Amino acid sequence: MTRIVMKFGGSLLASHYGIRLVGHLVERSRKKRDEVVVVVSALGDVTDTLLQAAGDARQWSEEEILGAINEIRGTHVSAIERSSVGGHEKATVLQGFEANLEKLRETLLGVSILGELSPRSKDLIVSFGERMSAPIVTAEIMTRGIGSASLTGGEAGIVTDDTYGEAVPFEAATARSVKKRLLPMLARGEVPVVAGFIAKSTGGETTTLGRGGSDYTATLLASCIGADEVWIWTDVDGILTADPRVVKRPATVSQLSYAEAEELAFFGAKNMHPLALGPARRSDIPVRIKNGFRPELPGTIITGEQTKSRGVVKVVAVVRNVGLLTVAGETLQGRPGVAARVFSALASDRVNVLMISQSVSEANISMIVRRNSLRAAEKALRRELRGQGISIEGDPRVAVVAAVGAGMRGERGVAAKIFAAVASSGINVRMIAQGSSELNISFVVSEHDADGAVRALHSQIVGRVRG
Ligand code: ADP
Ligand code: ASP
Ligand code: MG
């Protein structure tokens, strides 16, 4: 018997027969007597729709709210229609769904009446995506004669602080309550279906873990209940050597270490939550990324093992939605403390710096920040460095390209080959950084050059430069 936490992504759930497919994959494992905990995302891009609606509702009329509600109803009702759920069960699912939808409508109406959206209300609104998908999956599993019940992340026992939008789980308290909730269900042969991404603060409010958070829910639950494996079912064959929307027919990476996968999550490959691999790494639980449409394929396995075998660079990833901030001026030279002032000004305005590089001449410091905090960062620095002959420049149209692979460690000449490949396609590199882990080399290019840089690296470097 194997204890598996299976997470199903939104792309799979919203595909034509997605719900049946999930039922089939769960049934297959239960037939092998595996214990299964299911974690679900919201259907398709429902989370994006909800986020947009939450913001827009401040200006919306009642009719406009109804428009959004009807769109969300359409997505879910057609998923229910195409599932195997029928008869009385179908009526019950539809009824539960309408009750959730009514709560969502009332919450959006509240935002519209107040003309105001608090971070707490925003989290409550986006939580409806997973609240609505979990009962559909539960009904599909029950239709197949398997005991099942759906739980929100909070009901499953995930307790967080109240940093809405990016809540941090309290691991010890979470472990205690998750065990208490899930283990008896598994012992009864039931399949708990947990709404990913959402949790509950100690005060009992709904929180969310951050975008892509249902992968995080899966590893968190797995470490709490001592699962043997986590399977992340998605719509591609595993972690690919590059984004399939940028590179034609990328290969599937068969194995990655936790450290490599964490680096990739940070750089946005597969939209995975940057912290999602932490619980699996700390509890040494293998994570498999698999294609739900082609379950016979092995997919990618992420373990503690660091292999060099398949070339130095395993994956090329891109972070978009970032901005480049350059601080320059003669007065930066040889004046200890300026860099410290730069970073403390940014920290006190809660600007998170993703990458830093300083030229040898010390005449400039370049930084990468999230695009939505670029203006705040410029403002903080202007205030701090006013009247000192220092220029501050922000460019919102950039992207970070990262070549990731453990084999780069101690390998001479990799950087030279990477930059030669980029240069050969006529792309200008604006800034370079190498993390001390030596698991990646990342560089900044203009946004419109990002895809070209990925293609150049992918065709000339990935799997070719050998360790
Ligand atoms: P899910 O809905 O399963 O959570 P996501 O939308 O979070 O899936 O991420 C899966 C998508 O990420 C894939 O369909 C693929 O287009 C994209 N993607 C980008 N880069 C990569 C990569 N290096 N490996 C795999 N998928 C990637
Ligand atoms: N539905 C959430 C999101 O879109 C969480 C997830 O899918 O992992 O970010
Ligand atoms: Mg995802």
Side-chain angles (χ1 to χ4, degrees):
M1 185 205 69
T2 313
R3 182 175 286 174
I4 307 168
V5 176
M6 290 190 180
K7 178 256 170 174
F8 294 94
S11 44
L12 205 58
L13 290 168
S15 65
H16 198 69
Y17 284 118
I19 304 289
R20 282 175 194 249
L21 184 58
V22 170
H24 166 73
L25 293 168
V26 170
E27 192 177 6
R28 215 174 64 139
S29 285
R30 286 296 295 138
K31 280 197 175 135
K32 284 195 273 174
R33 305 237 150 276
D34 290 340
E35 286 182 347
V36 179
V37 173
V38 168
V39 174
V40 291
S41 291
L43 299 184
D45 46 18
V46 165
T47 305
D48 292 323
T49 309
L50 289 168
L51 262 178
Q52 184 74 34
D56 292 350
R58 287 173 293 195
Q59 284 95 37
W60 270 353
S61 63
E62 245 176 274
E63 291 73 57
E64 285 169 304
I65 290 173
L66 263 184
I69 292 290
N70 285 334
E71 183 190 331
I72 292 168
R73 178 183 285 117
T75 308
H76 290 81
V77 169
S78 69
I80 296 169
E81 293 294 343
R82 292 193 303 258
S83 73
S84 334
V85 184
H88 178 65
E89 284 72 27
K90 184 170 161 192
T92 312
V93 177
L94 282 168
Q95 203 179 12
F97 168 70
E98 286 298 334
N100 261 325
L101 205 57
E102 178 54 20
K103 274 189 226 149
L104 171 62
R105 193 188 66 83
E106 283 166 6
T107 315
L108 288 172
L109 198 58
V111 171
S112 139
I113 290 167
L114 293 171
E116 197 178 87
L117 176 70
S118 67
R120 188 176 118 189
S121 317
K122 189 168 162 184
D123 263 14
L124 180 61
I125 291 168
V126 295
S127 79
F128 276 93
E130 276 74 5
R131 279 178 201 278
M132 298 192 292
S133 62
I136 304 176
V137 170
T138 304
E140 171 72 38
I141 294 172
M142 287 170 71
T143 299
R144 291 165 187 263
I146 302 165
S148 181
S150 63
L151 304 99
T152 63
E155 287 164 352
I158 303 178
V159 198
T160 67
D161 67 5
D162 57 4
T163 321
Y164 295 105
E166 240 171 29
V168 181
F170 293 121
E171 292 206 2
T174 297
R176 272 195 305 275
S177 41
V178 166
K179 267 197 210 116
K180 217 156 78 194
R181 278 317 301 264
L182 300 191
L183 292 181
M185 294 178 74
L186 292 178
R188 290 196 296 268
E190 291 173 9
V191 174
V193 176
V194 181
F197 173 58
I198 65 179
K200 199 162 75 178
S201 70
T202 40
E205 300 294 338
T206 297
T207 55
T208 65
L209 303 176
R211 295 309 304 271
S214 43
D215 300 317
Y216 193 13
T217 303
T219 57
L220 207 55
L221 295 180
S223 81
C224 295
I225 60 167
D228 298 297
E229 294 202 359
V230 174
W231 291 9
I232 297 187
W233 292 102
T234 185
D235 63 343
V236 289
D237 291 350
I239 300 281
L240 308 173
T241 48
D243 188 333
R245 292 162 294 194
V246 176
V247 166
K248 267 196 215 121
R249 283 192 289 283
T252 306
V253 181
S254 56
Q255 193 272 343
L256 285 169
S257 67
Y258 295 117
E260 286 171 316
E262 284 181 294
E263 206 87 7
L264 280 173
F266 173 77
F267 285 106
K270 211 216 140 284
N271 306 326
M272 201 188 258
H273 190 291
L275 301 179
L277 288 151
R281 170 173 42 78
R282 290 191 287 277
S283 305
D284 203 16
I285 303 171
V287 176
R288 288 181 196 279
I289 320 269
K290 285 173 73 75
N291 189 343
F293 302 113
R294 302 173 73 191
E296 69 288 356
L297 296 182
T300 300
I301 182 158
I302 303 168
T303 61
E305 199 189 337
Q306 198 109 269
T307 57
K308 256 189 171 188
S309 55
R310 289 216 46 213
V312 172
V313 175
K314 291 187 180 170
V315 181
V316 185
V318 190
V319 197
R320 299 176 208 265
N321 299 321
V322 291
L324 174 65
L325 195 60
T326 310
V327 181
E330 299 283 306
T331 44
L332 280 176
Q333 252 157 333
R335 285 252 303 270
V338 178
R341 279 173 55 201
V342 165
F343 295 115
S344 59
L346 293 175
S348 70
D349 282 30
R350 313 197 72 186
V351 175
N352 194 7
V353 178
L354 306 178
M355 269 171 80
I356 305 165
S357 103
Q358 180 165 28
S359 64
V360 186
S361 71
E362 293 181 42
N364 79 62
I365 302 174
S366 307
M367 285 156 285
I368 288 290
V369 297
R370 296 256 170 244
R371 191 173 291 161
N372 58 14
S373 55
L374 185 63
R375 290 285 161 255
E378 282 180 75
K379 220 165 110 192
L381 294 184
R382 293 224 160 85
R383 194 185 57 225
E384 178 66 29
L385 304 169
R386 193 180 311 140
Q388 304 192 17
I390 293 174
S391 74
I392 294 147
E393 211 181 293
D395 182 350
R397 300 267 156 259
V398 299
V400 179
V401 177
V404 177
M408 276 186 245
R409 186 171 282 158
E411 196 63 36
R412 272 176 299 148
V414 180
K417 287 182 183 124
I418 286 176
F419 293 112
V422 180
S424 73
S425 51
I427 291 170
N428 181 29
V429 172
R430 314 259 307 262
M431 168 183 169
I432 298 175
Q434 177 169 17
S436 55
S437 68
E438 285 191 59
L439 289 175
N440 87 75
I441 291 177
S442 41
F443 56 91
V444 178
V445 294
S446 295
E447 194 176 32
H448 61 262
D449 283 334
D451 288 357
V454 170
R455 287 188 206 109
L457 284 192
H458 192 263
S459 65
Q460 296 180 47
I461 304 286
V462 174
R464 286 175 203 239
V465 181
R466 297 220 160 253

